[in-house]
Amino acid sequence: MRVALACDWFLPRQGGIELHLRDLALSLRASGVDARIVTTTRGSDEIDGVPIHRVRTPLAPGAGFAFTPGAVKAIGRVIREEGFDVVHAH
């Protein structure tokens, strides 16, 4: 099974949701699920062995979150193209 954990915030930005998603992905992967992060947060393509799809889209100045309709479309495109079975979205 392939699971997308989609959120506009993720590591290296540090906070509760970022750590929750990393821990959830690690737990799912340990149980044999192909869990991956889909995010607009800039950073590396893998953290702690978890693959990350970094969607390149304009971010709100000073805040760093995606705010355009094109960003939502780009995230949806990644989810469709990767063939995820389940999407856990924030």
Side-chain angles (χ1 to χ4, degrees):
M1 175 181 292
R2 300 192 72 209
V3 176
L5 304 174
C7 187
D8 49 352
W9 302 117
F10 193 63
L11 300 170
R13 185 179 185 277
Q14 193 84 14
I17 191 65
E18 296 85 355
L19 297 176
H20 163 71
L21 289 175
R22 186 216 42 212
D23 293 348
L24 179 56
L26 288 172
S27 180
L28 287 168
R29 293 180 71 77
S31 68
V33 174
D34 182 6
R36 296 165 180 257
I37 305 295
V38 179
T39 187
T40 55
T41 302
R42 307 294 190 252
S44 67
D45 292 336
E46 184 178 297
I47 292 178
D48 296 334
V50 177
I52 305 166
H53 297 274
R54 305 275 183 179
V55 178
R56 299 293 295 180
T57 187
L59 301 177
F65 60 86
F67 67 100
T68 65
V72 175
K73 289 179 183 178
I75 292 166
R77 191 170 31 258
V78 168
I79 289 169
R80 281 189 307 279
E81 288 174 358
E82 289 295 319
F84 290 106
D85 300 301
V86 175
V87 178
H88 171 94
H90 287 263

